[in-house]
Amino acid sequence: MSGPSPFATWWSTYALATGIVSVGLDSAGYEVLSRIALALACAAWLVSAAGLAQRARGEWRAETPAALTAVAATAVLGTGFSAAGTQPLAEALLALAMLLWAVLLTAEAGGRRGTVFLRCVATQGLAVLGATLATAETSAWLAHAALVLFWLGLALYGFALFRFQPRQVEEGRGDHWLAAGALAVSALAGARLLSADSARLYLWNEENADVLRTTAVTLLVLALVACVALLLAELFWPRHHYDVRRWATVFAAVVTAAATLAVAAALDVPWLDAAGEVLLWIAVAAWLGCTVWAVTSARAGAGRSRVRSRARR
């Protein structure tokens, strides 16, 4: 059985990171930029889906990290389309993501590396999309289903943290940032669940709402602390070479900013909203930097391949 496809992994991680950029920009009110990012994420998602479909006939477990990333990217795309007002497409993406998630949930996801957190990321991505659709369509059952996914995602995070090797903080090639990204997407899901409540739905009583508020704020604080700790680790143990897993780092940065904006909106905290926008533009700069790094690395690799080819002749 062949190993995971770097091609599929690159496009799925790029789609996930770019999709969450779209969600963050929409939350900050930058609609045009959000739609541009959504179009880029959609194009990457289509390429990733084609690559997985071509390779993964009978090999889904070998492709689990890329496939779980694609599940999360599908949910994030659905969230972006829901924000754009295209609810039927968002619903279709939710159904597709749920189907793939059910197939892949029990499959191995990256041993003890950062990719072990992908089950949590995918599950919370579904919770975010479910809560977003519940808000858009005033649907109580979707909100309650998203709440179940939210708590399941937290349980999966605990399981992943137990398996994660701490030395990955020193040795990881970018995917170790999923330890922070999974916390942030969980905080985003909690905030979207709080925002889904309304006078028409009355989803949560005061006690339940307090639990959600406390959990969302705690997760956001933990995500921010984890990002600072991982950034300091990067200074102590720098990684100078590009790796596709660096897109997990970008995802963690962007989803932390999006979660900050979502928690600020759910709790109506203006200063946190301002902080979230600052974090968002820092994360967008990281996304742009990683894009340039990826293109430069790809060109350098192509140049080395041509030199080796001529040498063999």
Side-chain angles (χ1 to χ4, degrees), residues 187-207:
L188 176 59
R192 288 294 175 99
L193 284 166
L194 281 169
S195 298
D197 202 5
S198 67
R200 291 183 61 187
L201 287 181
Y202 188 64
L203 294 170
W204 330 118
N205 59 33
E206 191 58 37
E207 182 180 352

Side-chain angles (χ1 to χ4, degrees), residues 159-176:
F159 176 74
L161 191 62
F162 177 76
R163 299 192 64 197
F164 180 64
Q165 288 182 336
R167 71 166 182 263
Q168 288 297 312
V169 174
E170 177 184 352
E171 300 174 356
R173 292 294 176 261
D175 56 321
H176 58 291

Side-chain angles (χ1 to χ4, degrees), residues 258-274:
T260 303
L261 291 167
V263 170
L267 275 59
D268 193 21
V269 183
W271 68 265
L272 190 58
D273 186 69

